[in-house]
């Protein structure tokens, strides 16, 4: 019993485990029908033009236990993989391009797994057709042999093309290109090529025809668009010759001669006939039908006619033989034939020269009137010339040639046997020119060939030419260049153009005209070609110096030619030099020149080149001027104001010069101006203050404005500081201690700043300027609280002085008032010994001014409460 109890729980657990294992059901796909986009891919169809990468389906299934499932796609061995699947989501993607024409069904094994069980199904995906194929002709190239006697509307060939698409995309229709120019038509469905109704083929006219056939499918969808594809091919149709044309004689009419000394059996002449069917010609059989009277015979195959009797046995002077040429087929049957007349003349020995005949008998002068330049190859039909030699056989054989200007005409025939109609043919139409020759004269020479006598004769051929309008007016030059002065009055002649037309009469009359954008100011005489300016025209080289237009020469028939005219308007010296506006007053720093400038508005050199000169100066020997640049400078020996003071008593150093600007034209024009020059020394040469003073030297209003602004700012700052001090003292209850005046420590000479005082010169003058006063030293005002009237100070000095050193004060805040201070260092000038007294007086004056300033500053700076 103990053993049984022990076994029972184990058996129970095993049974439970087996039951659980058996309860695990396999997953399965959903079957959603034929047109479903998810499920097991059964009955799925795809168009062959589906783009690679397209999501085409979603595998969808489930597990009865609700376990997650995965999907997979497999293929049979050797099969191409067209799809890939997302194992978790079941999304199926096309990864290989489809082609229905290669594979219209794809077998895929789809599987679903829950991790324990896997279910697989084989499905077939149908590949649907898209119109992606073009028609293709088979059995090309197409070469067709068609007999020329094939009836119209007969079918001669069947063209076949295939299209591997299905439906309308695989249906093919045929048509021909250039249907109206073809002799053929095609059945649009069957591709049968036929001869058009009412049209026949002719080997003798056209042996080969090329027909372009187009095969077009019925169209269909391809990637969403309706596409129609087509293909073309060429059918070569060779026309076969058939026996439908009779033979033809070559070289008719035939003339033969039998001479007095001709032997019996001698050949007189040979006739030649050819089968009209040149493709497959039959042989020709010759025979004499009548007219021989037993005196002549012909070779049946050669066509050679021979005399079988001696000449003295011939009863007639002229024999007319009717010769027949028949075709002999390959079977030996004689079919079609034709006939020709052969004229045989019996003549005696050579005792006649060649003779020219006109319509009324023998003639040795022939005249013709014709228009120039007849077409090449044209026959001069107005000349009725016949040449004849009454002899027989070789005695009647002679050559014809024209003697005269060569290469214009040629004569046909060049060799004559007995008699011929003379034809003169145009060979060089360009040489038959009325403008070169009014009359063309030739000698027509006939001279025997093989006779010892060489009999000959000549006839004059006179051709009178009539003129035609065959020439275009031609200018003597392709372009004309003219020049005209700008001061030419209206109606002035500019240039004469010349054109010639060699035609006669009205055709040679020329009419001139001009046109173009540059022709507005000009006219042309219609018959003389003289170009002249408009009556109202005013030329100005400074405004426009180049004109360009076209002239036209035209005859009465409207034939014309063009030439280009270039007109240059020559500059005339009609402008005077003009000074610019700021020439009236200049400031000259000793050692630096001042420049004047004048502009001449003329267009060309030398009229606009200006030379400068000083016309008048007092004193005269102080200034020099550069002739070409207009720079004015002092003579080389003037290096300081002292030298200038020695020259003149004019202490303000403002001199007036009369300067002249003169151009180089002929005649020359000039302009004079009065220039006032203010001479000063360059003492402020370091820092922006010097630059400012020099810039405002000629514009005192600007200097006044800047100085007034600076002074206003200083006054405003002083008021603000004073107000602040007042309110501070008012709020304080303590009695302020007496302010001590701490005198500024003496600044070493090396740290002194040089400043020159500025003063206005001649305030009444409109051209007020700042000048440097060397006789006044700057006043040292440490606290700017005195009432000394000093001139305004420029906005900024070249080097501001160092601030005063004040004793430290612990009880009173360090309020500071802006100060302007400076010192003047005497100018050390090396002068000749005679100027020594002047230098000493100058130094004494400076010392006295400095002492006065210090005493006044000390008196004003007393301590106050």
């Amino acid at each position: 019993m103990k053993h049984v109890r022990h076994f029972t729980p184990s058996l129970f657990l095993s049974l439970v485990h087996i039951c659980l294992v058996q309860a695990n059901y396999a997953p399965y796909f959903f079957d959603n029908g034929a047109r479903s986009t998810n499920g097991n891919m059964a009955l799925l169809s795809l168009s062959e033009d589906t783009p690679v990468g397209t999501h085409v389906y979603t595998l969808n299934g489930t597990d009865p236990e609700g376990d997650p499932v995965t999907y997979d796609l497999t293929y049979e061995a050797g099969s191409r993989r067209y799809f890939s699947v997302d194992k978790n989501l079941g999304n199926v993607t096309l990864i290989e391009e489809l082609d229905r024409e290669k594979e219209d069904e794809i077998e895929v094994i789809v599987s679903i797994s829950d991790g324990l069980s896997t279910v697989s199904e084989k499905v077939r995906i149908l590949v649907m057709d898209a119109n992606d194929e073009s028609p293709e002709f088979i059995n090309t190239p197409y070469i067709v042999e068609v007999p020329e006697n094939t009836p119209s509307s007969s079918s001669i060939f069947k063209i076949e093309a295939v299209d591997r698409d299905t439906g309308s995309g695989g249906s093919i229709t045929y048509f021909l290109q250039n249907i109206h120019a073809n002799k053929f038509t095609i059945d649009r469905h069957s591709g049968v090529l036929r001869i058009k109704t009412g049209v026949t083929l002719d080997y003798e006219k056209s042996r080969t025809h090329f027909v372009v056939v187009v095969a077009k499918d019925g169209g269909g969808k391809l990637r969403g668009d309706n596409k129609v594809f087509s293909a073309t091919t060429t059918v070569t149709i060779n026309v076969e010759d058939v026996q439908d044309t009779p033979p033809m004689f070559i070289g008719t009419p035939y003339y033969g001669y039998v001479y007095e000394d001709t032997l019996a059996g001698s050949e007189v002449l040979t006739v030649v006939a050819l089968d009209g069917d040149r493709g497959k010609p039959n042989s020709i059989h010759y025979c004499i039908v009548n007219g021989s009277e037993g005196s002549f015979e012909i070779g049946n195959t050669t066509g050679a006619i021979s005399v079988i009797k001696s000449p003295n046995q011939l009863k007639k002077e002229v024999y007319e033989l009717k010769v027949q040429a028949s075709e002999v087929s390959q079977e030996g049957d004689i079919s079609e034939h034709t006939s020709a007349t052969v004229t045989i003349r019996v003549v005696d020995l050579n005792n006649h020269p060649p003779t020219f005949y006109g319509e009324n008998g023998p003639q040795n002068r022939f005249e013709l009137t014709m228009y120039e330049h007849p077409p090449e190859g044209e026959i001069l039909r107005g000349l009725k010339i016949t040449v004849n030699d009454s002899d027989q056989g070789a005695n009647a054989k002679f050559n014809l040639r024209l003697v005269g200007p060569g290469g214009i005409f040629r004569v046909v025939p060049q060799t004559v046997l007995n008699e011929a109609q003379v034809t003169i043919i145009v060979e060089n139409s360009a040489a038959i020119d009325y403008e070169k020759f009014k009359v063309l004269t030739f000698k027509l020479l006939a001279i025997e060939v093989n006779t010892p006598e060489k009999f000959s004769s000549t006839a004059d051929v006179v051709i009178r030419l009539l003129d035609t309008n065959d020439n275009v007016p031609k200018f003597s030059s392709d372009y004309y260049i003219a020049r005209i002065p700008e001061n030419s009055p209206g109606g002035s002649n500019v240039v004469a153009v010349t054109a010639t037309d060699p035609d006669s009469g009205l055709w040679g009359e020329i009419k001139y005209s001009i046109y173009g954008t540059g022709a507005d100011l000009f006219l042309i005489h219609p018959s003389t070609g003289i170009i002249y300016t408009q009556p109202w025209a005013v030329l100005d080289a400074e405004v426009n110096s180049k004109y360009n237009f076209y002239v036209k020469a035209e005859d009465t028939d409207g034939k014309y030619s063009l030439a280009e005219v270039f007109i240059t308007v020559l500059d005339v010296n009609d402008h005077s030099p003009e000074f610019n506006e700021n020439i009236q007053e200049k400031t000259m720093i000793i050692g630096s020149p001042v420049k004047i400038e004048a502009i001449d508005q003329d267009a060309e050199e030398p009229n606009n080149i200006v030379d400068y000169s000083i016309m008048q100066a007092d004193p005269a020997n102080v200034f020099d001027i550069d002739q070409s640049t207009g720079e004015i400078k002092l003579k080389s020996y003037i290096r300081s104001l002292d030298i200038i003071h020695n020259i003149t008593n004019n202490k303000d150093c403002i001199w007036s010069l009369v300067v002249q600007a003169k151009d180089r034209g002929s005649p020359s024009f000039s302009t004079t101006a009065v220039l006032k020059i203010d001479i000063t020394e360059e003492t402020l040469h370091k820092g922006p203050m010097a630059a400012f003073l020099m810039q405002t030297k000629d514009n005192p209003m600007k200097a006044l404005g800047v100085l007034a602004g600076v002074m206003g700012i200083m006054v405003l700052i002083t008021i603000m500081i004073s107000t602040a001090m007042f309110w501070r003292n008012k709020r304080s209850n303590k009695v302020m201690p007496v302010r001590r005046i701490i005198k500024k420590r003496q600044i070493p000479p090396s740290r002194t700043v040089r400043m020159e005082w500025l003063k206005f010169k001649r305030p009444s003058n409109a051209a007020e300027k700042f000048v440097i006063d060397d006789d006044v030293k700057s006043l040292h005002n440490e606290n700017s609280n005195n009432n000394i009237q000093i001139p305004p100070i420029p906005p900024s000095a070249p080097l501001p002085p160092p601030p005063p050193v004040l004793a430290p004060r612990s009880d009173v805040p360090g309020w500071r008032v802006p100060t302007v201070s400076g010192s003047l260092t005497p100018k050390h000038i090396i002068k000749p010994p005679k100027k020594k007294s002047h230098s000493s007086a100058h130094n004494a004056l400076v010392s006295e001014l400095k002492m006065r300033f210090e005493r006044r500053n000390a008196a004003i700076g007393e301590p106050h409460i």
Side-chain angles (χ1 to χ4, degrees), residues 327-398:
E327 294 184 21
V328 180
S329 65
Q330 295 179 356
E331 294 79 11
D333 299 329
I334 296 177
S335 56
E336 299 190 18
H337 59 83
T338 186
S339 60
T341 300
V342 178
T343 302
I344 298 177
R345 186 183 299 273
V346 180
V347 295
D348 57 1
L349 296 175
N350 184 30
N351 53 6
H352 297 91
T355 305
F356 293 101
Y357 294 87
E359 295 180 330
N360 300 320
Q363 188 174 331
N364 59 5
R365 183 180 176 87
F366 299 89
E367 295 186 5
L368 174 67
T369 301
M370 59 180 291
Y371 284 102
E372 63 178 336
H373 303 303
E376 292 183 1
E378 181 175 304
I379 297 173
L380 304 187
R381 303 186 185 278
L383 293 174
K384 305 293 184 180
I385 306 175
T386 302
V387 63
N388 174 267
D389 191 328
S390 300
D391 293 323
Q392 300 297 321
N395 294 329
K397 188 176 182 181
F398 56 92

Side-chain angles (χ1 to χ4, degrees), residues 521-542:
L521 298 181
F522 303 93
L523 296 172
I524 188 170
H525 194 282
S527 58
T528 64
I530 296 176
I531 298 175
Y532 55 95
T533 59
Q534 294 272 11
W536 44 265
V538 177
L539 303 178
D540 193 344
E542 289 74 37

Side-chain angles (χ1 to χ4, degrees), residues 135 163 171-175 188 214-219 228-231:
D163 192 321
S171 63
I172 296 177
T173 56
Y174 305 90
F175 60 92
R188 64 191 306 268
V214 180
K216 182 176 68 173
D217 65 19
V228 177
F229 293 97
S230 63

Side-chain angles (χ1 to χ4, degrees), residues 760-769:
F760 290 101
K761 299 181 67 179
R762 297 192 299 170
S764 60
N765 192 342
E768 295 177 346
K769 302 178 180 63

Side-chain angles (χ1 to χ4, degrees), residues 576-580 583 594-600 608-616 623-632 658-664 668-673 675:
S576 300
E578 295 182 1
F579 287 102
N580 51 18
I583 191 179
V594 296
K595 184 176 180 180
I596 61 175
E597 184 178 8
I599 304 299
D600 194 310
N608 57 6
I609 298 178
V610 180
D611 293 329
Y612 302 93
S613 61
I614 298 175
M615 302 299 293
Q616 182 178 352
F623 298 98
D624 284 332
I625 188 167
D626 190 295
Q627 178 180 351
S628 58
T629 64
E631 288 187 348
I632 300 176
V658 178
V659 293
Q660 181 189 62
K662 183 178 181 180
D663 62 30
R664 297 184 183 180
S668 178
F669 291 97
S670 61
T671 302
T672 58
L675 173 65

